[in-house]
Every structure is written in structure tokens, then in C-alpha cells.
Amino acid sequence: MNKSLFLCILHRLSTEVPYFQPTEDAARRSSLSPLQKCTAAIQQLAYGGGADTVDEYVRLAETTARKCLHNFTAGIINLFGDEYVRCPTPEDLERLLHIGDQRGFPGMIGSIDCTMNDLNILDRSPVFDDINGIAPQVNFYVSGTEYHLAYYLTDGIYPKWANFIQSIRLPQGEKNSLFSKTQEAVRKDVEHAFRVLQAKFAVVKNLSKLWDKDKIANIMRACIIVYNMIVEDERDSYTQYNVLEFQQGEDVDQTFSVKRLQNTAIQLVAEQKFGIMKPINN
């Protein structure tokens, strides 16, 4: 991450989390600095090594380094979780829909690649909370026909839901083959994103047998939050779209529109393919 982002995280933790605030003991000796604690935690997340690997570089004992890690992940979740792990805003949806439209999938807001555990309890997975209650109303057009349901790209193992666009198994003909090839290529984005997350935070990739489930969950969630912060911090340098297109007041010719979140029950239907998807009343 950039130095400015690291200093921002360091400042928030040192001012709002008691564990990272400087203290003195009875002999008026200063405690470990917030810089030492944050550096030790981030180094364990980035390189995935044991807590004893930072003893010489940061001058921390193994037990202290492990404590820094768990307090760091808890602090990141409490301070930044609501902002960086949330439902997409209308502005986020416009950006995602614009990218999907440019890639040939109007109305597409991403792709899904759950683990087998999430797939087995798909109806209770937190990934799909919005499907059963509060959901964004999205209008887009395909070949002059208006649709009202945003969708994800998935593979054939997922159920036949109206908000899942699956590839065509054993496609026949040039049209079906082109759709299947393009859908599978775009769907790889979610796998690439997780590989980038593993590349930045080796702790996500490496095996862990030392912590309980709650601590492992906090580490995973904290890595996602920090990764989202890095993406936002670096977005201006590699953005693939014109930011001016999403500023209010701009008259831009788009094939989609986004409305504010509202309470709606999304109907799940079995019959659906992108080329023959019928409008669904929310």
C-alpha cells in the first residue's frame, strides 16, 4: 500500500483503539509504539509467516506480535468495516453497470464464485441477503427490451435463478459458442480478484492451524477491507472509465439506470438465459 494510506490507518488506530495508544509503565518507560504494532501486524498479513518472524525487524516477541495481529484485525473491522464492506451505493452500481455494458453484458454487476459450503446453503448465505429483501432497482435494455433485474455471472453448478446468468453447456452454433466463451471469460474476474487478494496477503493463501475460527474470520475480513482501501486509494491511476460520466448533471447516453434502494421481493424463477430472459416484475 502507499505510505499515505498506511499513515492514515496508523493514525486512526492510534487515536481510536486503546491497544495502539502510547502508554508508560510505572518506571515511565514508553510502551511499544503504534508504528511497531501496525508494522508487525501488516507484515504477518502480507507474508503469512509466523508471529516469531518479526522479532528482529520490529523488536517484538512472538506473543506480542500475535496480539498485535488480532488487535489490528479487530480495529480494522470496527473502524473501516462499515465503509469498505457494504452493499453497493447507486454510484457504485452505475460504475459496475457501465463496465458490464462496455464488456457486452448490460445489467451485469459482477460474478459469483462461492465455496462449496456457501453453495450448499445458498438461500442462507450472507452474499445473497439482498436477493431476499432490500435490493437495488436497475433498469437496462437489451435489443430494445427493458429489464429490471441486475444479475451475476455464474457457472452451471448454481441454481436456475433469474439473477444468475450461466454459461451454455455444450453450446451448439456460432452464436451460442460466442456467448459461452465470452461469459466464461468475464466470469473469471472473481477468480482473478481472489488471486490478487492472495498475492497481496499471503496469510489468506497459507494454511492456518493456530487460531480459532473467529480469529481466522477476522483476519480474512480485515484483509478484504484493507484490500478495498488499497484499490480505492490507487483507483485514479488505473481507472478504465471516465469519471466525469458518473458526475451529477452530465447528460450521458447510457443503456441503464439505477434507482435508490427500496424494499422489494425479487422473484426467483427457473427459466432464464441471457438471450431469452424475460422481464421480471419486482
Side-chain angles (χ1 to χ4, degrees), residues 33-62:
S33 69
L35 180 61
Q36 285 178 286
K37 297 177 180 179
C38 289
T39 302
I42 291 180
Q43 192 167 11
Q44 292 176 75
L45 295 177
Y47 297 105
D52 58 346
T53 59
V54 300
D55 54 356
E56 294 185 3
Y57 182 72
V58 194
R59 303 289 182 177
L60 294 181
E62 178 181 357

Side-chain angles (χ1 to χ4, degrees), residues 172-235:
Q172 302 294 325
E174 182 179 355
K175 180 179 179 180
N176 290 339
S177 297
L178 177 61
F179 169 79
S180 180
K181 180 179 179 180
T182 305
Q183 193 267 4
E184 292 171 1
V186 176
R187 199 182 71 234
K188 291 293 184 181
D189 284 353
V190 65
E191 297 180 9
H192 293 164
F194 190 70
R195 288 183 181 274
V196 172
L197 181 68
Q198 290 180 320
K200 285 187 175 292
F201 300 101
V203 68
V204 177
K205 179 177 61 176
N206 295 347
L207 297 177
S208 175
K209 299 180 180 179
L210 300 178
W211 305 311
D212 57 35
K213 293 181 179 179
D214 291 337
K215 291 181 179 179
I216 294 176
N218 284 348
I219 289 173
M220 185 69 187
R221 190 175 182 86
C223 288
I224 294 174
I225 293 172
V226 175
Y227 174 71
N228 288 341
M229 297 174 69
I230 294 173
V231 170
E232 182 183 74
D233 182 61
E234 299 176 350
R235 177 172 291 159

Side-chain angles (χ1 to χ4, degrees), residues 18 25 41 56 74 82 103 111 143-144 155 161 166 189 264 268:
D25 60 14
E56 294 185 3
D82 292 340
R103 303 180 72 180
S111 52
S143 301
D155 56 24
W161 288 2
Q166 301 172 344
D189 284 353
T264 176
L268 303 180

Side-chain angles (χ1 to χ4, degrees), residues 56-73:
E56 294 185 3
Y57 182 72
V58 194
R59 303 289 182 177
L60 294 181
E62 178 181 357
T63 304
T64 305
R66 188 178 296 112
K67 192 174 182 179
C68 290
L69 174 63
H70 298 316
N71 281 276
F72 178 86
T73 55

Side-chain angles (χ1 to χ4, degrees), residues 58-105:
V58 194
R59 303 289 182 177
L60 294 181
E62 178 181 357
T63 304
T64 305
R66 188 178 296 112
K67 192 174 182 179
C68 290
L69 174 63
H70 298 316
N71 281 276
F72 178 86
T73 55
I76 289 293
I77 295 172
N78 292 333
L79 295 179
F80 304 102
D82 292 340
E83 181 178 359
Y84 290 95
V85 179
R86 54 170 172 74
C87 295
T89 63
E91 291 75 17
D92 294 331
L93 285 173
E94 286 194 16
R95 176 171 54 84
L96 295 173
L97 289 169
H98 175 76
I99 295 175
D101 192 38
Q102 295 294 312
R103 303 180 72 180
F105 288 90

